[in-house]
Amino acid sequence: MSEYLPGLAGVPATKSNISDIDGEKGILTYRGYSIEELAKNSTFEETALLLLDGELPTAAALSDFDEQLRENRRVKFHIRGMMKNLPDSGHPMEMLQTAISSIGMYHPGNECLTGSDTCTDLNYVHNMTVTILAHMGTLVAMWEHIRNGYDPLPPRTDLSYAENMLFMFTGKEPDPLLAEILDVCLILHAEHTTNASTFSVLVNASTLASPYSVIAAAIGALSGPLHGGANQRVLEMLEKIGSPDKAETYVDKRLANKEVIWGMGHREYKTKDPRAKILQKLVTRLIAARGGDANPMLEIATRVEQVVEDRLAEKGVYPNVDFYSGILYQEMGIPADQFTAIFAVSRAAGWLAHWREQLGDNRIFRPTQVYTGESLRGYTKIDER
Ligand code: COA
């Protein structure tokens, strides 16, 4: 194929059986199971194993995996020391990228990836996956204490993945409703076909780079505001709008200036993202459980959604996953700059499933390009230019 398509829109980059999107109907499935069913019935641990292994696990397999995750949560003393020396003002995504790379220095284990075309040792892949996935949640939660000048709390093995994150974040016994909501958020963000960060996983995996490098690259890609970084931008946007009656003028002004509305639009969905619908319901549920005091951000968001639908429905621009997740996390008391880092924790499950899939049938990525530069020409000496 020689036609250049910006952003590789519509160009298949891989074959995958991990997840699928029907963008017209607004359906997202992991391994064939709808996101609504998983959010209702599954847990993050089970969904991660489903993504990794391809089938819903038996009770025994899930229990083993859960135990492995719990046992691998602890972060080495030297990495904690390194994190304490990072600037407090550093963005959690930069911390996470740094820390994940550093874990590769302490738990190297890339013996499977040297001197061969691929790696078929599933034990190796599983062990690396557990190490990375178990550490991701701990690192993000630890950073909250460290950047505020405290020693991080040690992870607990008696808590689920979501409960332990909340415990390490707040230092308090996890609230059951918040833990349930965080668990659903982790399920919803765990996988989403071949988007920018997952594509970076494929490219990096294809060179047989270590899984830590693969995940560090993906964290970098996710951090951008056109991808996972949008949830933080949404909240900043809603704060800037200030009240529902100002939403229409704000949206129109941005559209007139050809600026995007954060949390709206998606390459794949031409209708409302199914994850946004679930997150919106969770915000309403949490507000109701707390006595029903209106959340001003939710009211502004609802108005922005109406205005955007009115202006951009014909282009298929509707709320994406990032539109309501920031409001939900804010309602849960999580600082705005941690939103994307929590997204990364969850998405690591999908990234690692794609890493495994790529290793199972690997060929190095080496696309071509349309060259638009000068043709061959002679060198001009510096005093003749
Ligand atoms: N605000 C305003 N207009 C938007 C829009 C948004 N958030 N998203 C898409 N559009 C418009 C585009 O301007 C384009 O209009 P045009 O045909 O008149 O040029 C049309 O809808 C198609 O969008 P396009 O830019 O081709 O989509 P894309 O697939 O290249 O980009 C995103 C997808 C997600 C990068 C884009 O929708 C976006 O920037 N959204 C805001 C950032 C965001 O929320 N990212 C998180 C994604 S989960």
Side-chain angles (χ1 to χ4, degrees), residues 81-270:
M82 182 200 74
M83 288 171 70
K84 286 179 187 169
N85 284 307
L86 295 174
D88 305 346
S89 56
H91 195 282
M93 287 295 274
E94 288 180 327
M95 175 287 299
L96 189 59
Q97 198 177 31
T98 307
I100 270 300
S101 295
S102 78
I103 288 176
M105 300 177 82
Y106 291 96
H107 305 260
N110 51 2
E111 61 280 353
C112 192
L113 297 171
T114 46
S116 67
D117 287 342
T118 188
C119 168
T120 49
D121 180 349
L122 285 183
N123 271 338
Y124 160 78
V125 172
H126 182 83
N127 292 341
M128 289 285 105
T129 296
V130 165
T131 306
I132 292 175
L133 200 55
H135 277 84
M136 291 282 288
T138 316
L139 291 169
V140 170
M142 275 170 63
W143 182 239
E144 201 47 37
H145 270 62
I146 292 177
R147 70 174 173 170
N148 285 303
Y150 299 104
D151 273 330
L153 294 169
R156 279 172 47 185
T157 53
D158 61 324
L159 299 176
S160 73
Y161 199 100
E163 287 167 344
N164 181 59
M165 274 189 78
L166 282 180
F167 164 70
M168 291 183 68
F169 231 99
T170 60
K172 296 183 194 141
E173 272 310 298
D175 173 271
L177 177 61
L178 293 190
E180 188 194 324
I181 290 178
L182 181 59
D183 195 53
V184 174
C185 291
L186 295 176
I187 293 172
L188 295 181
H189 288 88
E191 161 63 10
H192 208 230
T193 77
T194 309
N195 48 53
S197 57
T198 302
F199 184 43
S200 83
V201 164
L202 304 183
V203 172
N204 283 274
S206 81
T207 71
L208 303 188
S210 84
Y212 304 99
S213 298
V214 168
I215 299 302
I219 292 168
L222 186 71
S223 70
L226 294 187
H227 195 2
N231 50 20
Q232 188 179 345
R233 300 287 174 113
V234 171
L235 215 57
E236 289 162 5
M237 174 182 82
L238 298 176
E239 273 160 9
K240 205 165 165 188
I241 295 173
S243 63
D245 58 306
K246 298 199 176 113
E248 187 167 7
T249 314
Y250 178 90
V251 168
D252 284 339
K253 200 168 157 198
R254 274 189 82 85
L255 294 182
N257 290 337
K258 305 249 172 273
E259 291 170 310
V260 293
I261 310 301
W262 299 109
M264 293 282 169
H266 200 280
R267 175 73 57 82
E268 296 289 321
Y269 295 110
K270 297 304 156 211

Side-chain angles (χ1 to χ4, degrees), residues 326-339:
I327 304 172
L328 179 62
Y329 287 140
Q330 187 198 44
E331 191 70 32
M332 292 169 76
I334 295 169
D337 64 351
Q338 287 276 23
F339 300 167

